[in-house]
Amino acid sequence: MRKPEKPLTTPQRLASVVKSARDTMRKDKGLNGDLDRLPMLTWILFLKFLDDMEIEREVEAQLAGKPFDPVIEAPYRWRDWAAQPDGITGEDLLRFVNNDTATRPDGTDGPGLLAYLRSLQGANGEDRRDVVARVFQGVQNRMISGHLLREVVNKVTGIHFDSSEEIHTLGNLYETLLREMRDAAGDSGEFYTPRPVIRLMVEVTDPRLGETVLDPACGTGGFLVEAYKHIATQCHTVEERIALQKSTLYGGEAKSLPYLLAQMNLLLHGLEFPRIDPENSLRFPLTEMGDRDRVDVILTNPPFGGEEEAGVQNNFPADMRTGETALLFLQLIMRKLRRRPKPGRAAVVVPNGTLFGDGVCARVKKQLIEEFNLHTIVRLPNGVFAPYTSINTNLLFFDRTGPTQDVWYYEQPLPEGRKNYTKTMPLAYEDFARLVAWWKHREENAQAWKVSAAEIAAAGYNLDRKNPNGPADLEHLPPAELVESILAKEARIAEIMAEFRALLAEPPV
């Protein structure tokens, strides 16, 4: 099979094609907003990307004189039903994509496209067929015009991902789509972790080749991608790269859309067989988890503010049951950290409420202090998750070398002259430079201080500690300064409202 010559897919060309495809999707009455359009575009791009990868591998196999075993068989490959601009369209295309059985592009009858993709099955449950089948379990075609769907398919056919440079281009576009997905989902409770926060947590936790890494609530796979990139720099042999591919990274994501996005995100970044559990990571009884279920490193931002059903809560000890999803995940993380020979370590995003909560929350923190080494809490400034949530957040770093002796706190400051992070001026990784430098050479300073475990226990395991070295609290300011401070805040509120008004005045894209 000869690899056809094609022009390079540049970022500009890719962005232009994607914009044009989205414009076409806006005409379809079955799609309502970006929360419908972006997932559609994602799985269409996924199929094109997959076929380009398959063609590449087929060529490589032929050159090496080896047999090639395709993931997707004819006539379901992109090149079979999508590549020809005058191919199947209208109602015939909708029936082929949507129906359980349909007349296929080659004129024969058989499973429809999505039904076929969902039915794929590997020989041992661990190859790319299983990945594709799991990806498409939750996928639906929401477009109701087969002619508009054909237009979108034709536009996507015009791009290709044959070289590593082009895959990198798609990766960058994908990052943009993820941010837009985050924007579209922000008002429905879906929050995605800012990339600088992910990078910080991975860098200081430092997962090593040979260790297992888990994100039990992986969302779109940000922590796993960053961990993959971090560990890939440690690989120098074929055996090490195989180990990274097959036995290093694991995730769990119960929602179908983030699950699809995570699979594509990981594939795009080079992980060929993502091991993502498509069900709720909290579904197993906690006490039944043993050493074989444990991992070396856990990196995660579990959903907070969520409410788990009673059946899930029953998987936890009677005195530790709660509907609060973040607390259940915190217990799961503690349970799944490896004990020996090398104690496991974790980095977890939690809301402020977890630090000062009582009841079950206090009992979870008591266990964390008494059985684990909670060595660091990074207090993030306002607006890190802006504009999707204003909830203040913290990063917990702990390991299984416990019990805790002292907890180091680090209050991450805002950049000089800034009062908040915003959508247009978000957090940058460079903002963590002083924290990264402090991490291995710790001493108390204006941002860092230490509290003993005994003091925390005496306070009922309240971890919400103010910075003793920070600026004086508002209530202790002199009246004149207090007035000035209030006026400054009001001025900032006026600025934010002006930004909102300008955004609302912008014509829809």
Side-chain angles (χ1 to χ4, degrees):
M1 181 176 184
R2 181 181 294 273
K3 183 178 172 183
E5 294 293 331
K6 302 171 187 172
L8 193 69
T9 300
T10 63
Q12 294 77 13
R13 173 164 171 71
L14 183 57
S16 172
V17 169
V18 167
K19 180 182 182 305
S20 179
R22 292 173 67 175
D23 288 343
T24 301
M25 286 180 163
R26 287 190 175 88
K27 303 173 188 172
D28 192 280
K29 305 303 181 192
L31 300 176
N32 296 305
D34 278 344
L35 273 182
D36 279 346
R37 287 191 288 268
L38 292 174
M40 274 289 301
L41 187 57
T42 301
W43 70 255
I44 291 171
L45 281 168
F46 181 90
L47 288 178
K48 178 65 170 69
F49 168 70
L50 193 64
D51 196 44
D52 285 350
M53 286 179 66
E54 290 273 278
I55 292 173
E56 195 79 9
R57 287 167 181 272
E58 189 171 355
V59 171
E60 291 174 1
Q62 287 181 353
L63 292 174
K66 297 179 179 177
F68 177 72
D69 185 19
V71 172
I72 298 177
E73 305 273 1
Y76 298 101
R77 302 170 303 182
W78 184 275
R79 73 198 88 158
D80 300 317
W81 67 271
Q84 296 302 319
D86 57 351
I88 183 173
T89 187
E91 290 301 315
D92 290 341
L93 178 57
L94 289 181
R95 281 192 288 270
F96 170 63
V97 172
N98 297 343
N99 291 2
D100 288 341
T101 58
T103 299
R104 300 179 293 190
D106 63 357
T108 63
D109 290 336
L113 176 65
L114 294 180
Y116 166 80
L117 296 172
R118 294 182 192 119
S119 71
L120 288 174
Q121 192 170 11
N124 56 10
E126 291 187 348
D127 74 19
R128 197 173 287 176
R129 293 180 187 81
D130 302 287
V131 172
V132 173
R134 287 196 293 269
V135 163
F136 281 90
Q137 287 302 320
V139 165
Q140 290 182 329
N141 167 40
R142 295 186 181 280
M143 293 185 71
I144 58 176
S145 167
H147 296 286
L148 290 175
L149 177 58
R150 164 51 67 182
E151 281 189 37
V152 172
V153 165
N154 286 350
K155 294 177 194 299
V156 172
T157 297
I159 54 181
H160 49 89
F161 314 105
D162 300 337
S163 69
S164 58
E165 186 179 347
E166 289 168 321
I167 292 172
H168 181 71
T169 298
L170 180 59
N172 288 339
L173 172 78
Y174 189 68
E175 296 285 334
T176 304
L177 291 179
L178 283 182
R179 283 198 295 273
E180 293 190 26
M181 197 85 69
R182 181 186 61 186
D183 291 357
D187 59 355
S188 61
E190 300 284 352
F191 306 123
Y192 295 87
T193 314
R195 184 51 53 93
V197 173
I198 291 176
R199 186 176 166 193
L200 171 75
M201 293 166 69
V202 171
E203 290 289 330
V204 300
T205 307
D206 190 23
R208 308 301 299 171
L209 183 65
E211 294 184 323
T212 47
V213 180
L214 169 70
D215 181 351
C218 71
T220 56
F223 283 105
L224 297 177
V225 166
E226 200 65 32
Y228 173 80
K229 290 159 60 179
H230 182 86
I231 299 174
T233 62
Q234 304 162 30
C235 295
H236 304 292
T237 67
V238 173
E239 290 75 18
E240 289 172 344
R241 282 189 283 274
I242 290 174
L244 172 58
Q245 286 283 345
K246 294 194 170 182
S247 57
T248 301
L249 300 167
Y250 300 86
E253 178 50 55
K255 293 186 176 180
S256 58
L257 175 58
Y259 178 82
L260 163 65
L261 296 170
Q263 294 283 3
M264 187 169 171
N265 200 6
L266 289 161
L267 283 170
L268 277 173
H269 284 87
L271 187 65
E272 297 189 7
F273 307 104
R275 284 165 166 73
I276 310 295
D277 179 356
E279 297 187 52
N280 190 346
S281 296
L282 301 172
R283 69 186 184 279
F284 301 110
L286 203 65
T287 55
E288 293 181 8
M289 295 179 191
D291 283 344
R292 68 178 180 180
D293 303 306
R294 295 195 167 98
V295 298
D296 299 296
V297 178
I298 296 179
L299 300 156
T300 190
N301 177 11
F304 41 85
E307 187 79 14
E308 292 294 333
E309 58 178 295
V312 170
Q313 296 179 41
N314 289 339
N315 291 325
F316 292 78
D319 63 338
M320 303 290 264
R321 290 174 189 167
T322 171
E324 171 57 45
T325 305
L327 288 178
L328 297 180
F329 267 102
L330 195 51
Q331 294 180 66
L332 175 75
I333 293 161
M334 291 155 64
R335 183 75 183 187
K336 289 185 79 77
L337 272 189
R338 196 180 303 286
R339 297 178 177 176
R340 54 186 179 277
K342 183 181 178 183
R345 54 200 186 280
V348 185
V349 181
V350 297
N352 255 12
T354 301
L355 299 194
F356 59 74
D358 53 14
V360 172
C361 185
R363 288 194 285 277
V364 172
K365 289 181 288 185
K366 180 175 187 291
Q367 183 183 2
L368 186 61
I369 293 289
E370 293 181 348
E371 300 180 22
F372 296 78
N373 177 23
L374 175 63
H375 54 82
T376 311
I377 296 177
V378 174
R379 311 212 65 170
L380 296 175
N382 295 334
V384 167
F385 283 76
Y388 316 108
T389 176
S390 59
I391 297 174
N392 289 333
T393 49
N394 307 267
L395 310 180
L396 303 188
F397 295 87
F398 57 94
D399 58 47
R400 204 135 197 178
T401 62
T404 304
Q405 300 299 318
D406 297 296
V407 179
W408 275 99
Y409 286 80
Y410 189 97
E411 189 173 60
Q412 173 66 26
L414 286 161
E416 189 71 27
R418 297 280 302 279
K419 295 181 178 178
N420 212 338
Y421 287 114
T422 63
K423 181 180 177 180
T424 53
M425 297 181 69
L427 174 76
Y429 182 72
E430 292 70 26
D431 296 342
F432 288 125
R434 281 190 291 176
L435 167 57
V436 173
W438 169 87
W439 191 265
K440 291 184 178 177
H441 306 284
R442 300 185 176 199
E443 58 182 21
E444 295 208 21
N445 58 35
Q447 273 74 50
W449 70 101
K450 188 167 59 174
V451 180
S452 72
E455 186 178 338
I456 290 170
Y461 297 95
N462 182 0
L463 295 171
D464 186 22
R465 299 308 177 101
K466 290 186 177 179
N467 182 358
N469 309 320
D473 288 342
L474 191 66
E475 58 268 27
H476 299 308
L477 294 175
E481 290 186 36
L482 186 60
V483 170
E484 288 300 319
S485 175
I486 292 171
L487 290 174
K489 285 183 169 57
E490 287 184 347
R492 177 57 187 151
I493 291 171
E495 290 175 12
I496 293 172
M497 296 309 295
E499 291 176 10
F500 274 129
R501 184 166 58 188
L503 286 172
L504 291 172
E506 290 179 2
V509 179

